[in-house]
Amino acid sequence: MIGNDIVDLNEASRSRYWNNQRFLSKVFSTPEIDLILHASNRLHTTWVLWSMKESAYKVHLRKYKKPFFAPLKIACEFDPDGTGKIIIDNAVYTANTIVRKDLIYTVAVTDPSKEYTGKIQKVVDTSYTNLHNKCYQDVIDIGSVQFQEHVNTIKINKDEYGIPKLFSNNKEQSLIFSITHHGKYYAYAILK
Amino acid sequence: MPVSYLRNTQNKNTLMKTDDLILKLKKIILPYIQDEEAYKNLNEETDFLRDLKVNSANLVDIVLDVEDEFDIKIENEDMEKMLSVGAAMSIITTKLGEK
């Protein structure tokens, strides 16, 4: 299982509340807030933790099909080697986070030994529709190659939980992928 | 859901109708929506994430804006349920009633 989440830092820094105690206390636990308050870059740490939570939530939703909105029930921890772990109830997910100047990107997985492929892309047209379509088109192109079907026969539909699924000729395919977009960026991650 | 309720703030016994509440809520969520069509057709069933395509981080911003606008405190258990316009209205109504 896989889930990903991208944060455009220019976009995130414009949020009125990200640096506000009220926001922090609704989203992060006391140890997480400590990490943020002692971080050399609060903006980065805040959104690293956020993207860990969001990406792990996507994996968890895929697994248990029980939607919820409770960032505090998703706990982030770090192993001594820096590996990020996310705990939701009794489930543990491993996070792989990339921090760049303008973006934070996390891929969360159930099984860290499984490989995945993915891409981060930047767009000029930042409308929701364009970002959404670009994500879909990229995954459709990959599906087309993998299943050797014409792109026109491939489509992506979200199920009732919002989990995207790939279909070719109306038949659901076994591609497990996650898509995300924010601000100027979109990304996808596909389990190999 | 009650059609109207008492708003017990500066103007005691001022009746706030459901329509007024929806209007206030619409104003709060406007900066965060990413689906104009769903916003135009907004009703109590409208889901913030699925229909209005609000970014989930912005959902926390909406909760904070609601706290400020109505001068109420939304607990985390309430925030969990605040996923639709109707749910938000119900939580705001309850909180105002407790004041």
Side-chain angles (χ1 to χ4, degrees), chain A residues 175-188:
Chain A
L175 200 71
I176 297 174
F177 63 100
S178 181
I179 52 180
T180 175
H181 55 82
H182 185 226
K184 287 190 177 68
Y185 297 98
Y186 75 90
Y188 59 85

Side-chain angles (χ1 to χ4, degrees), chain A:
Chain A
M1 303 268 178
I2 197 161
N4 70 352
D5 186 61
I6 198 158
V7 177
D8 179 331
L9 288 172
N10 286 315
E11 195 73 22
S13 64
R14 276 205 293 274
S15 154
R16 276 168 55 206
Y17 295 112
W18 76 268
N19 204 8
N20 177 309
Q21 183 59 41
R22 288 167 64 212
F23 178 86
L24 295 178
S25 67
K26 282 190 160 41
V27 174
F28 300 111
S29 66
T30 310
E32 290 163 359
I33 292 175
D34 274 353
L35 274 179
I36 293 167
L37 297 182
H38 293 105
S40 57
N41 189 327
R42 278 195 199 181
L43 182 74
H44 282 183
T45 307
T46 303
W47 295 104
V48 164
L49 292 171
W50 174 273
S51 76
M52 284 171 71
K53 288 182 187 229
E54 186 75 16
S55 55
Y57 172 75
K58 288 183 182 176
V59 187
H60 199 73
L61 181 64
R62 199 181 276 273
K63 211 167 149 188
Y64 295 100
K65 308 216 182 313
K66 287 205 178 91
F68 64 95
F69 183 69
L72 274 171
K73 291 188 176 164
I74 307 173
C76 299
E77 286 177 10
F78 294 91
D79 285 348
D81 68 355
T83 306
K85 294 238 179 298
I86 310 113
I87 299 121
I88 308 176
D89 293 329
N90 293 320
V92 182
Y93 304 104
T94 305
N96 183 2
T97 302
I98 294 169
V99 180
R100 290 196 198 150
K101 193 171 136 274
D102 292 332
L103 67 89
I104 308 273
Y105 177 63
T106 299
V107 177
V109 290
T110 38
D111 180 357
S113 67
K114 283 212 171 125
E115 285 184 37
Y116 61 85
T117 175
K119 212 169 215 176
I120 300 170
Q121 301 276 28
K122 193 173 183 177
V123 297
V124 177
D125 173 4
T126 61
S127 69
Y128 184 93
T129 314
N130 182 52
L131 285 157
H132 175 87
N133 290 345
K134 292 262 189 202
C135 285
Y136 273 34
Q137 201 50 56
D138 282 10
V139 177
I140 285 172
D141 289 347
I142 289 166
S144 162
V145 174
Q146 185 159 335
F147 301 108
Q148 300 192 334
E149 298 277 0
H150 192 273
V151 284
N152 290 349
T153 67
I154 297 184
K155 62 178 180 200
I156 293 169
N157 286 329
K158 280 189 175 169
D159 70 8
E160 58 184 305
Y161 304 103
I163 298 161
K165 305 246 164 96
L166 187 110
F167 295 81
S168 77
N169 294 310
N170 295 319
K171 188 172 165 280
E172 190 183 332
Q173 295 294 343
S174 56
L175 200 71
I176 297 174
F177 63 100
S178 181
I179 52 180
T180 175
H181 55 82
H182 185 226
K184 287 190 177 68
Y185 297 98
Y186 75 90
Y188 59 85
I190 304 173
L191 266 190
K192 276 190 179 168

Side-chain angles (χ1 to χ4, degrees), chain B residues 35-92:
Chain B
D35 191 316
E36 303 279 343
E37 205 54 40
Y39 184 75
K40 262 189 244 158
N41 301 319
L42 182 134
N43 59 61
E44 291 185 22
E45 305 288 312
T46 305
D47 186 286
F48 291 126
L49 304 173
R50 205 180 51 226
D51 300 324
L52 296 168
K53 314 278 193 285
V54 169
N55 181 292
S56 46
N58 288 144
L59 196 52
V60 184
D61 295 340
I62 290 177
V63 171
L64 293 169
D65 285 340
V66 164
E67 286 190 339
D68 290 343
E69 172 66 31
F70 296 97
D71 191 22
I72 52 176
K73 170 107 176 81
I74 293 175
E75 308 298 337
N76 289 318
E77 307 85 76
D78 296 319
M79 186 170 86
E80 277 181 39
K81 295 178 216 135
M82 235 176 99
L83 295 170
S84 68
V85 170
M89 288 168 68
S90 157
I91 289 160
I92 295 165

